[in-house]
Amino acid sequence: MACFLVSAFLLILQTSAAPPQTGVSFNNEEDVALSPPPGTSKRPPHSIIIGVRKGGTRALLEMMDIHPEVAAAATEVHFFDWDENYSKGLEWYRELMPYSYPHQITVEKTPGYFTSTLAPERIRAMNSSIKLLLILRDPAERVVSDYTQVYFNRLENHKPVQAIENLLVRNGALNTRYKAIQRSLYDIHVRNWLRYFPLEQIHIVDGDLLIHNPLPELQKVERFLNLPPRIVASNFYFNQTKGFYCIRSDGRERCLHESKGRPHPVVNSTVLQQLRSYLQEHNRTFFRLVKRTFNWQ
């Protein structure tokens, strides 16, 4: 844990010293123009990436944005999971979408939708035939990644931090009320979605496979969304420095923001085994619900 603390502080210093990042260009660059291109309009999404937090939603959206027939919303909207935004109405939501041509599909992603009890019913009320994308990774690894994001955010805001073991264990037992663990109970959350949408409308992307070999997962997404195959192997290259795949399209190369792929702490092996044991039954239930299995420990 001490090594993790040192490397974390060094990473914060490097980040603060670096020039500001301009971010990734999406197909909705028209939004900054004085007038939209002729023939385009803002439309509600045809597909939504509903989660999961720290599952790879940003990577999935940016990789999908390679496709010429995808118009991707640049920011997380939090329309269906935040009451204050939902009360603003569908027109407010539509205005946050990118301009798109009739042959394109609009996609937005908000990872908070998956664990929201209200989002499934609200999305169905907007469009009962919408296609949903859910990207998941090993739930125990997702817990550690969730902790890591919060850890760095607290460091950057000069707030106190705790070792992950202090959050995972309370009074000698696994702290199952810890929010990061609750978010990894995939069976509980997907059961709520299946109350409002048939399984055929929810495509699950394997986040672990997307990291190690993105093309096959993106091809499955193309088929699910009835998109012509346009994403190819040459759109990806492995960045040895960052340790993950980056994107090459339109003559440009781009990688995920520095906040992605941060080093995880080394978790006490006994505590990690407690976490994995607790998640096993939830994983088995999830596999039954979605009628497929994943290579999770």
Side-chain angles (χ1 to χ4, degrees), residues 30 37-41 43 46 68-69 71 99-106:
E30 306 95 294
T40 65
S41 62
R43 297 177 292 168
H46 304 79
E69 295 187 17
Y99 284 104
S100 62
Y101 291 97
H103 68 279
Q104 292 180 308
I105 66 168
T106 299

Side-chain angles (χ1 to χ4, degrees), residues 122-132 196-198 201:
R122 288 173 171 178
I123 293 176
R124 179 180 170 81
M126 177 189 72
N127 181 359
S128 62
S129 61
I130 196 167
K131 293 192 172 184
L132 305 171
Y196 298 94
F197 294 97
Q201 280 178 236

Side-chain angles (χ1 to χ4, degrees), residues 27-229:
N27 288 342
N28 63 337
E29 289 175 349
E30 306 95 294
D31 284 349
V32 300
L34 293 177
S35 59
T40 65
S41 62
K42 292 187 175 187
R43 297 177 292 168
H46 304 79
S47 178
I48 300 177
I49 301 174
I50 59 174
V52 62
R53 171 180 161 122
K54 305 310 296 176
T57 58
R58 173 53 60 184
L60 176 60
L61 186 68
E62 293 191 10
M63 290 175 179
M64 288 177 62
D65 192 53
I66 296 170
H67 201 292
E69 295 187 17
V70 169
T75 59
E76 294 178 9
V77 182
H78 286 284
F79 179 65
F80 298 103
D81 60 334
W82 290 2
D83 291 342
E84 60 269 32
N85 285 344
Y86 191 70
S87 64
K88 296 174 184 176
L90 282 172
E91 183 60 24
W92 177 87
Y93 178 60
R94 187 181 66 81
E95 281 299 314
L96 294 176
M97 296 300 109
Y99 284 104
S100 62
Y101 291 97
H103 68 279
Q104 292 180 308
I105 66 168
T106 299
V107 181
E108 79 115 326
K109 74 101 175 174
T110 300
Y113 290 161
F114 182 56
T115 57
S116 166
T117 57
L118 297 172
E121 184 175 13
R122 288 173 171 178
I123 293 176
R124 179 180 170 81
M126 177 189 72
N127 181 359
S128 62
S129 61
I130 196 167
K131 293 192 172 184
L132 305 171
L133 294 168
L134 173 62
I135 179 167
L136 300 174
R137 64 190 294 193
D138 182 308
E141 290 297 322
R142 199 219 64 80
V143 169
V144 180
S145 185
D146 197 317
Y147 162 84
T148 303
Q149 175 173 292
V150 174
Y151 174 90
F152 277 99
N153 287 344
R154 292 185 69 85
L155 274 185
E156 291 167 0
N157 290 290
H158 309 289
K159 294 181 178 180
V161 295
Q162 295 187 63
I164 187 171
E165 290 84 357
N166 293 341
L167 296 169
L168 286 174
V169 177
R170 291 285 167 86
N171 300 319
L174 190 70
N175 178 20
T176 59
R177 298 183 67 181
Y178 178 34
K179 283 186 178 181
I181 294 179
Q182 288 290 313
R183 294 187 185 106
S184 279
L185 305 182
Y186 300 155
D187 60 320
I188 292 175
H189 305 303
V190 82
R191 198 186 298 273
N192 189 36
W193 285 89
L194 292 174
R195 291 175 57 203
Y196 298 94
F197 294 97
L199 185 59
E200 293 72 25
Q201 280 178 236
I202 306 174
H203 176 68
I204 302 175
V205 179
D206 190 322
D208 298 304
L209 292 182
L210 186 76
I211 293 171
H212 297 106
N213 189 14
L215 181 59
E217 289 302 300
L218 269 296
Q219 290 174 329
K220 294 173 188 174
V221 170
E222 285 179 323
R223 291 193 291 270
F224 175 69
L225 297 177
N226 297 318
L227 291 168

Side-chain angles (χ1 to χ4, degrees), residues 213-215 219 230-238 245-246 248:
N213 189 14
L215 181 59
Q219 290 174 329
R230 295 288 183 268
I231 301 175
V232 295
S234 59
N235 288 132
F236 308 102
Y237 67 97
F238 190 79
Y245 279 90
C246 296
R248 183 187 292 118

